Amino acid sequence: MKTIEANFDGLVGPTHNYAGLAQGNVASKKNAEVPSNPRAAVLQGLAKAKALADLGLAQGLLPPHERPHIPSLKRLGFDGRDAEVLSKAQRDAPHLLAAAASASSMWTANAATVSPSADTRDGKLHFTPANLAINLHRAIEPETTARALRTIFADERRFVHHAPLTSTPALGDEGAANHTRLCSDYGAQGLELFVYGAAGDTEPKPQKFPARQSRAASEAVARLHALDPAYVHFAAQAPSAIDAGVFHNDVIAVGNREVLLFHQRAFIDSAAITKWARSKLSDFCAVEVLESEVSMEDAVGSYLFNSQLVWLPRADGLRSGQVLICSQECRDNPRVWQAILRIIGDPENPIEDVRVFDLQQSMRNGGGPACLRLRVVMNEAERAATNPKIWLDDALHSRLSTWASKHYRDHLIARDLADPHLLDESRHALDELTQILGLGSLYEFQR
Ligand code: SUG
């Protein structure tokens, strides 16, 4: 049975804005209060997803969440009709309103950790929604994410949905952004690399920013997914990387199939990772980029390592050819671009080509190409059991472009978040999206 890697990109929601909410995220802090363009944001994301579909890859979508999230504001004591809830929150606690209005669910690399059926003891595909415990605006995502995943991957004979881990920083879990699967073939037993930032008192800690992923959470997910311990490795992020703005490991490393592309300063012990991977995967290929070639600052500024690596089957069927899907910011930085050209020109690794995308709206909040997608390695039966309406093709792309142009604003600032019309517009957009993507009664306002 043929097994593929599908990408599920997060559709950017109608309230996409820059509120400076994200701890340890340099771009989010830098662009706080810059006006945003939600319509451009959703169209940029769709253009990237469409280009991958056009390359012949399986490309799905995950829906945005309802924002501003009135139930979260009500839980915090803002009462009355929706318009009153919004105006009271803006008057008394604008930071809480901003948190309840963030479109951060677009970064689906943080939606969940996913283990394909080839890796799990019960032969099923496992999902654990991330609790995103460190940041308030993200900690309100898991409930809806869990519902969305259950709706889209509904077949209980094939898919296992775990509850998000208890929401406490000691079990902070940010999902697939800190998890990489390596394999020689998607359908074969894979290696699962879990990367964490915090591990109790025994290991060095970042000084400036919090570590978002805890080792205890990564271990719990590996247990829940019934992975074979021989094929699992837990690796610590370098605390200095976190302090330089690497709030998720996918800001400084990316892997696909037999390739792991990473920065010299990404991990405390990269040699241990490569030794483990080599011992399990005969064709494992480590592509390390040295600080002297691309500095940590350039890596964080360009999001080079937040590129996607996608695998295109080649006619000769012998060796994989991979393509780097990078942001325009990589093209704009001459040192980073040189490094990319060197990597794709090097016959020692399977990365052969590069495609550049304008994702500026997402990038300004610290979300590059890889942040915008959740990978699900699936066999044909699992693919057939997935909600068929979420696969992106020309028709869906065109329908969603029209939908976005109809419902989304092209300018949004903090003051607008309390505008009851924005809430109405968002609900109308999501109502229509529910029909387009076949989402059942995903949203609370529909119940
Ligand atoms: O959690 N930014 C997100 C970006 C997530 C990127 N994801 C991955 N690396 N996989 C975050 O830091 C900014 C929201 C704001 O400030 O308005 C934000 O949440």
Side-chain angles (χ1 to χ4, degrees):
M1 195 153 38
K2 196 174 144 215
T3 301
I4 48 112
E5 178 187 83
N7 285 291
F8 290 84
D9 278 44
L11 259 182
V12 178
T15 61
H16 159 66
N17 74 99
Y18 303 115
L21 299 173
Q23 295 194 62
N25 176 335
V26 180
S28 150
K29 293 292 174 200
K30 185 173 136 206
N31 293 305
E33 288 170 35
V34 166
S36 67
N37 183 339
R39 192 188 301 159
V42 67
L43 294 176
Q44 286 172 356
L46 277 170
K48 192 256 293 183
K50 167 79 162 50
L52 266 63
D54 288 346
L55 285 174
L57 297 160
Q59 179 67 58
L61 297 171
L62 292 177
H65 295 188
E66 177 189 346
R67 296 288 181 271
H69 194 234
I70 298 293
S72 288
L73 291 170
K74 286 195 165 162
R75 236 198 265 183
L76 294 167
F78 301 107
D79 57 6
R81 285 177 298 108
D82 292 347
E84 288 174 81
V85 169
L86 293 169
S87 71
K88 285 177 185 171
Q90 186 168 57
R91 185 192 63 205
D92 299 342
H95 61 290
L96 296 181
L97 174 61
S102 175
S104 53
S105 67
M106 69 168 89
W107 298 298
T108 51
N110 308 119
T113 306
V114 185
S115 294
S117 49
D119 298 355
T120 61
R121 214 178 305 127
D122 59 5
K124 295 186 183 183
L125 207 163
H126 287 238
F127 296 88
T128 298
N131 63 21
L132 298 164
I134 301 288
N135 288 292
L136 174 62
H137 68 295
R138 305 223 59 184
I140 59 176
E141 293 175 35
E143 227 180 282
T144 307
T145 299
R147 270 205 308 279
L149 293 174
R150 283 177 189 274
T151 305
I152 293 168
F153 306 99
D155 186 344
E156 285 174 10
R157 288 166 310 165
R158 303 186 190 282
F159 305 120
V160 181
H161 295 275
H162 301 282
L165 303 179
T166 307
S167 191
T168 169
L171 285 174
D173 177 21
E174 307 257 330
N178 297 310
H179 173 253
T180 306
R181 179 176 190 261
L182 303 163
C183 59
S184 4
D185 188 78
Y186 289 126
Q189 163 85 58
L191 278 63
E192 299 204 16
L193 173 63
F194 289 82
V195 182
Y196 59 89
D201 293 330
T202 49
E203 288 180 16
K205 289 187 177 50
Q207 301 298 311
K208 217 164 131 192
F209 297 132
R212 294 200 196 177
Q213 181 79 31
S214 74
R215 178 171 178 135
S218 299
E219 289 175 348
V221 173
R223 265 192 303 273
L224 287 165
H225 290 197
L227 301 176
D228 180 342
Y231 290 86
V232 172
H233 185 80
F234 300 98
Q237 280 185 278
S240 65
I242 297 176
D243 282 339
V246 181
F247 54 95
H248 292 136
N249 182 61
D250 70 0
V251 173
I252 207 68
V254 58
N256 189 12
R257 292 178 74 95
E258 75 275 35
V259 181
L260 183 65
L261 169 66
F262 61 98
H263 189 272
Q264 183 182 19
R265 289 177 51 202
F267 305 105
I268 288 187
D269 190 356
S270 51
I273 300 173
T274 51
K275 188 171 166 214
W276 163 74
R278 241 173 233 128
S279 74
K280 300 280 175 208
L281 206 62
S282 55
D283 52 351
F284 174 67
C285 174
V287 184
E288 182 173 7
V289 177
L290 302 181
E291 172 79 20
S292 55
E293 183 176 27
V294 174
S295 68
M296 179 58 89
E297 200 187 340
D298 280 342
V300 172
S302 66
Y303 265 42
L304 163 60
F305 298 91
N306 198 262
S307 298
Q308 289 175 249
L309 274 177
V310 297
W311 179 74
L312 302 178
R314 283 192 348 185
D316 62 19
L318 290 174
R319 202 175 165 218
S320 68
Q322 299 213 23
V323 182
L324 196 77
I325 306 294
C326 75
S327 65
Q328 179 62 40
E329 284 74 0
C330 293
R331 180 78 189 80
D332 293 343
N333 181 320
R335 294 172 298 279
V336 170
W337 189 244
Q338 272 313 308
I340 290 176
L341 295 181
R342 179 193 61 75
I343 292 166
I344 63 176
D346 181 353
E348 295 300 309
N349 74 64
I351 308 172
E352 296 182 339
D353 203 356
V354 60
R355 302 282 161 97
V356 182
F357 290 88
D358 176 7
L359 295 166
Q360 189 198 45
Q361 286 289 320
S362 171
M363 284 288 289
R364 283 185 177 164
N365 252 340
C371 300
L372 286 161
R373 60 92 173 101
L374 180 67
R375 294 188 280 186
V376 184
V377 166
M378 44 189 6
N379 61 35
E380 278 165 12
E382 289 156 350
R383 196 172 168 184
T386 301
N387 169 358
K389 292 189 168 184
I390 50 78
W391 297 112
L392 189 69
D393 56 14
D394 287 355
L396 182 58
H397 178 263
S398 138
R399 196 159 173 210
L400 288 174
S401 303
T402 309
W403 164 83
S405 303
K406 174 172 149 202
H407 292 288
Y408 281 52
R409 297 188 183 186
D410 61 6
H411 187 270
L412 211 59
I413 54 171
R415 178 163 23 94
D416 302 326
L417 301 179
D419 177 0
H421 297 299
L422 180 68
L423 180 67
D424 280 350
E425 289 160 26
S426 306
R427 286 178 172 171
H428 277 120
L430 299 188
D431 234 0
E432 202 177 316
L433 187 68
T434 302
Q435 305 306 318
I436 300 175
L437 298 182
L439 300 172
S441 52
L442 173 65
Y443 300 110
E444 283 141 296
F445 73 90
Q446 295 170 322
R447 290 165 185 201

